[in-house]
Amino acid sequence: MINEIFLIMKGKMIMNESVIMKTSKYFKERGILLPTLRELCNPEEIDSQIKSELDSVEKNSMNPLNLFRVHWFNSRDKSAFSEVPEHIVLPSDLTGIDAKIIVNIGRFFPLIDAHKVLAAYGCLLPRILSGTFDYEFNKAIWPSTGNYCRGGIAISRILGLKSLAILPEGMSKERFSWLEKWVEDKSDIIKTAGTESNVKEIYDACNELRKNERNDIINQFDEYYNYAIHRAVSGPSFEKSFLKVKGQSKLRARLFVSASGSSGTLAAGDYLKEKLNTKIAVVEATECPTLLNNGYGEHNIQGIGDKHVPLIHNVMNTDFVVGISDDSTDNLNIIFNTEIGHKFLENRKGLNPDLIKKLPEFGFSTIANILASIKLAKYLKLGPEDAVITVATDGADLYLSELNKAVKGFNGIYDETSCAELFGQHLKGVSTDNLLELSQMDRDRIFNLGYYTWVEQQGVQLDDFEARRTQDFWDKHYTDMLSLDSKINQFNSI
């Protein structure tokens, strides 16, 4: 029944039956069906007719059927859904460690070639199902440091919703080029001052927009449904890729490693810790070591955010913090994405050409995740029966302008000798510095650091802030997300 569709928001039940009915009719006129979480975790359960129709739909087109590609199971050759998420197991010749690093690939998500489109869908779902977002009245505001706002714009356009993107002006040229093609009007892109490190400036812009009641601020940094969608969908997906690699062996999943960002992807670690007993490690830039030692600064590992602790970071369930320098990600990006670099890796390091061809699937934050995985494997002395699960949130194609800048920095003297020096310094030379195994006191410190952003600056009630210390709080948001499947089915059938 319609009156069973509701949303719990800040302890209150909110729903608008007339908007639910109106939106359902609007979607039907546009040929829109909402995929369930179960379908996103198990695409084989998607209706066979939908899968057949998808064969003729380009994955980045503005077609509502592409909602059924918002998951980790899109195949590399774009022909069909994979049995398990596309992933790469990095060889010891590259990593220098015996442990297996399993990298789940995010660039095969539709529309934006990055996994943040999943977070955008997860954050918009409860608003649609509760009728708290009226397509005739509201405008979806998508603040981020890059991919999330693109995901939000993409989902909004497919659903026929008004939307606006906010991101720092210093983000990569490729992100802005994409946005200009997708927004209805270029005025729907707001560029805030600074770069990756300037998150508060984004919040300031949001607070100004919030004065207009039509604007619905869907902030990835404080949206608990961002946490919940990754725990509900990304977590089980990564479990499947691990089990595929494990096969009949004794391989153990020891760690889940992910850059901080909004902390949404980190929620997959909560699922993996519960199911596979993994530890959870969060990665940040050493140029801005906020979690490591309350530090500040500016960096170029685009997509990971900093200078604050996201409200949706389950700090008390986090086990390690690892710092990676953007000097390493910038320089390894050159090796992974130039002809000279590829020749070096094949001729001098003996890497498989098939693996080398896949290296452009690693964006800046992915390289940071891989380096952090190597650090942790060395610190914990992991062996060949140990696995580290991590994620490639996007690919190198979003950073081609950054690549050109880095190559120019060699003043024309970039050759295989340069590659050898960079490989030795930034990959073979990975050490266990800037790594913190969290004690209870460390967790309390990081948790408390969030007070200044969320309570003092952004007006979160202290009781609501403190409630995040217990795992029960996060489990409830997870179960609330899982409960949306029945509501999606009801909505689609109205």
Side-chain angles (χ1 to χ4, degrees):
M1 298 295 292
I2 298 303
N3 61 11
E4 292 176 343
I5 299 179
F6 63 90
L7 171 68
I8 301 294
M9 187 177 294
K10 294 184 179 178
K12 299 178 181 178
M13 184 183 295
I14 302 172
M15 70 174 213
N16 189 320
E17 294 182 17
S18 62
V19 173
I20 294 169
M21 294 293 292
K22 180 175 69 172
T23 304
S24 178
K25 180 181 178 182
Y26 178 63
F27 281 9
K28 278 186 172 56
E29 291 171 350
R30 299 174 66 91
I32 296 169
L33 281 175
L34 300 177
T36 63
L37 275 64
R38 183 179 178 89
E39 289 170 320
L40 299 183
C41 288
N42 305 283
E44 69 274 8
E45 297 190 15
I46 294 173
D47 183 81
S48 58
Q49 182 177 344
I50 292 175
K51 287 191 283 190
S52 176
E53 292 175 2
L54 273 173
D55 289 341
S56 60
V57 176
E58 201 279 320
K59 84 177 186 78
N60 290 333
S61 66
M62 208 175 294
N63 187 313
L65 283 175
N66 272 325
L67 291 173
F68 288 89
R69 286 181 167 137
V70 180
H71 53 70
W72 291 94
F73 297 84
N74 299 292
S75 64
R76 184 174 271 105
D77 63 9
K78 304 178 184 178
S79 62
F81 298 147
S82 303
E83 177 188 353
V84 299
E86 292 285 355
H87 61 277
I88 297 173
V89 182
L90 300 180
S92 296
D93 289 343
L94 178 67
T95 64
I97 59 173
D98 292 327
K100 291 179 171 57
I101 298 178
I102 303 169
V103 186
N104 294 278
I105 308 301
R107 70 182 303 270
F108 302 117
F109 273 82
L111 310 172
I112 67 170
D113 297 330
H115 83 313
K116 289 287 185 146
V117 70
L118 172 65
Y121 179 69
C123 291
L124 199 49
L125 258 183
R127 290 166 163 81
I128 293 169
L129 299 176
S130 64
T132 55
F133 189 98
D134 186 334
Y135 71 89
E136 290 184 316
F137 179 79
N138 294 117
K139 190 168 194 173
I141 310 299
W142 301 99
S144 88
T145 54
N147 286 335
Y148 173 77
C149 69
R150 295 195 305 124
I153 293 293
I155 296 293
S156 298
R157 288 302 308 274
I158 279 180
L159 297 180
L161 312 178
K162 294 181 281 292
S163 60
L164 180 149
I166 306 176
L167 72 167
E169 61 186 354
M171 300 308 291
S172 69
K173 175 183 176 182
E174 288 77 11
R175 285 181 167 88
F176 287 107
S177 297
W178 184 96
L179 283 168
E180 289 172 1
K181 294 175 183 176
W182 273 76
V183 294
E184 294 187 78
D185 189 279
K186 289 186 178 181
S187 64
D188 290 329
I189 305 172
I190 294 181
K191 301 177 182 180
T192 55
T195 59
E196 181 71 32
S197 305
N198 298 91
V199 178
K200 183 180 182 299
E201 288 77 0
I202 298 172
Y203 295 164
D204 291 343
C206 288
N207 289 334
E208 188 64 30
L209 288 167
R210 191 174 278 113
K211 294 176 182 178
N212 183 338
E213 64 176 342
R214 291 177 176 267
N215 292 330
D216 187 352
I217 313 297
I218 311 178
N219 185 350
Q220 63 173 337
F221 297 98
D222 67 10
E223 283 281 332
Y224 292 116
Y225 282 101
N226 181 10
Y227 164 89
I229 192 73
H230 281 296
R231 184 170 169 185
V233 174
S234 296
S237 301
F238 298 164
E239 181 185 27
K240 286 187 176 182
S241 58
F242 165 74
L243 293 176
K244 177 72 172 181
V245 175
K246 173 182 170 66
Q248 301 301 312
S249 73
K250 296 180 180 180
L251 193 67
R252 298 171 296 174
R254 297 293 300 277
L255 293 157
F256 174 69
V257 178
S258 177
S260 176
S262 66
S263 296
T265 310
L266 274 171
D270 279 17
Y271 177 92
L272 295 171
K273 177 175 280 193
E274 180 181 4
K275 298 294 184 178
L276 302 176
N277 198 33
T278 61
K279 299 287 188 180
I280 301 171
V282 57
V283 185
E284 65 177 3
T286 54
E287 287 77 11
C288 189
T290 306
L291 307 182
L292 279 171
N293 59 14
N294 297 9
Y296 51 87
E298 191 169 5
H299 68 88
N300 194 43
I301 308 179
Q302 298 188 26
I304 72 172
D306 43 32
K307 282 201 291 201
H308 81 313
V309 183
L311 194 67
I312 67 166
H313 182 177
N314 185 4
V315 173
M316 306 310 284
N317 204 34
T318 303
D319 302 291
F320 296 92
V321 177
V322 186
I324 298 296
S325 171
D326 67 3
D327 190 39
S328 294
T329 55
D330 284 345
N331 283 294
L332 290 177
N333 184 53
I334 297 175
I335 298 178
F336 291 174
N337 293 285
T338 60
E339 184 177 350
I340 293 173
H342 286 187
K343 286 182 179 178
F344 163 78
L345 292 173
E346 183 173 358
N347 299 334
R348 300 275 293 275
K349 305 309 295 183
L351 292 188
N352 188 315
D354 289 338
L355 170 65
I356 294 172
K357 289 177 183 177
K358 294 174 183 177
L359 293 178
E361 294 173 5
F362 299 163
F364 280 177
S365 62
T366 309
I367 298 173
N369 287 343
I370 292 169
L371 293 175
S373 298
I374 296 171
K375 275 180 180 279
L376 286 159
K378 289 183 175 182
Y379 174 76
L380 294 171
K381 298 179 173 59
L382 301 187
E385 292 187 345
D386 297 312
V388 181
I389 301 170
T390 190
V391 56
T393 59
D394 57 24
D397 50 329
L398 285 175
Y399 308 97
L400 295 178
S401 57
E402 299 297 321
L403 174 64
N404 293 332
K405 290 179 190 177
V407 172
K408 288 179 181 177
F410 283 84
N411 297 317
I413 308 174
Y414 174 64
D415 53 21
E416 288 195 31
T417 300
S418 304
C419 291
E421 293 173 353
L422 295 178
F423 188 93
Q425 179 182 353
H426 298 292
L427 200 52
K428 187 176 180 180
V430 170
S431 67
T432 57
D433 62 344
N434 298 304
L435 187 157
L436 180 64
E437 186 170 1
L438 299 182
S439 65
Q440 183 62 36
M441 184 176 291
D442 293 321
R443 292 187 180 95
D444 285 335
R445 172 185 61 80
I446 296 171
F447 185 96
N448 294 343
L449 186 61
Y451 169 88
Y452 302 99
T453 295
W454 298 109
V455 179
E456 287 198 345
Q457 292 180 13
Q458 304 304 322
V460 172
Q461 293 298 307
L462 182 58
D463 288 347
D464 294 335
F465 179 82
E466 281 290 324
R468 300 159 46 255
R469 288 188 189 272
T470 69
Q471 188 60 32
D472 286 347
F473 174 89
W474 303 97
D475 291 346
K476 183 180 185 305
H477 281 286
Y478 172 55
T479 55
D480 285 348
M481 174 59 78
L482 294 178
S483 74
L484 293 184
D485 267 5
S486 62
K487 301 169 182 60
I488 292 170
N489 289 327
Q490 293 170 15
F491 181 90
N492 285 337
S493 64
I494 293 173

